[in-house]
Amino acid sequence: MEDIKKDAATRMKKSVEMLHANFNKIRTGRAHPSILDAVTVDYYGGEVPLNQVASINVEDARTLTVSPWEGNMVPKIEKAIMMSDLGLNPSSAGNVIRVPMPMLTEETRKGYIKQARSEAETARVAVRNVRRDANASLKTRLKDKDISEDDQRLGEEEIQKLTDKHIAEIDKALSSKEDDLMKV
């Protein structure tokens, strides 16, 4: 029974971590290096994440600087940032690429909030699916007479507590992201 609980906790934690990774891809008005995590660059015939061919730094609250490790990568990186669906327009000055963060309009903010809510709901569903799988494992163990009905009930209660804890984390993360998006 402990194995089922540990497995459920691990899988639920992964769902929450994935949500945080997805939230990092949603752009707020502030500059943050993780915004460019999804950008890949053609590097000697292969697609490579941008952070593996350049250093990404925050110059000020609204500007990122990208410093490629190889000078010939500047145009490729610029093109990759422009082609991404982030709506960013980089400009290069020598070997440094500046990426200004445009102001978010009210409409864009609402769109990003909608996207964040969708990501949060996907994470909640994932957590509930883990709960369902864990409860099914407990029922199977009960049928096989590996555990008693009391143990099954106790196990289901513990898994429900785990589920509630992780869904509360998801709700907290969503609330934080919404607040972040609504700041002007």
Side-chain angles (χ1 to χ4, degrees), residues 37-172:
D37 282 352
V39 178
T40 57
V41 181
D42 178 37
Y43 186 67
Y44 295 109
E47 290 293 314
V48 178
L50 178 59
N51 60 9
Q52 290 184 11
V53 294
S55 64
I56 305 167
N57 297 302
V58 178
E59 185 174 290
D60 58 45
R62 299 193 103 37
T63 311
L64 289 174
T65 56
V66 180
S67 304
W69 293 316
E70 295 177 27
N72 65 334
M73 291 301 294
V74 173
K76 290 180 181 179
I77 292 173
E78 258 189 303
K79 184 178 178 188
I81 293 171
M82 274 190 248
M83 298 313 255
S84 71
D85 59 353
L86 297 171
L88 301 173
N89 291 315
S91 62
S92 61
N95 281 346
V96 176
I97 302 167
R98 285 191 171 65
V99 185
M101 297 289 131
M103 291 291 287
L104 297 178
T105 63
E106 190 67 26
E107 188 178 314
T108 337
R109 289 175 197 277
K110 286 180 181 172
Y112 285 144
I113 286 175
K114 196 180 218 179
Q115 184 183 351
R117 287 180 180 159
S118 169
E119 296 286 354
E121 187 55 34
T122 302
R124 283 189 205 102
V125 168
V127 167
R128 290 184 195 121
N129 286 341
V130 172
R131 176 187 61 192
R132 183 198 61 217
D133 294 346
N135 286 343
S137 294
L138 287 171
K139 283 183 178 144
T140 303
R141 293 253 173 107
L142 178 66
K143 274 186 194 170
D144 295 343
K145 305 229 185 295
D146 291 341
I147 59 173
S148 67
E149 283 185 31
D150 289 342
D151 287 340
Q152 181 205 3
R153 223 174 281 113
L154 183 68
E156 285 179 352
E157 285 173 14
E158 287 179 13
I159 287 169
Q160 184 60 46
K161 286 177 188 171
L162 267 176
T163 304
D164 293 343
K165 177 184 150 208
H166 285 87
I167 286 186
E169 276 183 53
I170 290 168
D171 292 340
K172 183 180 173 190

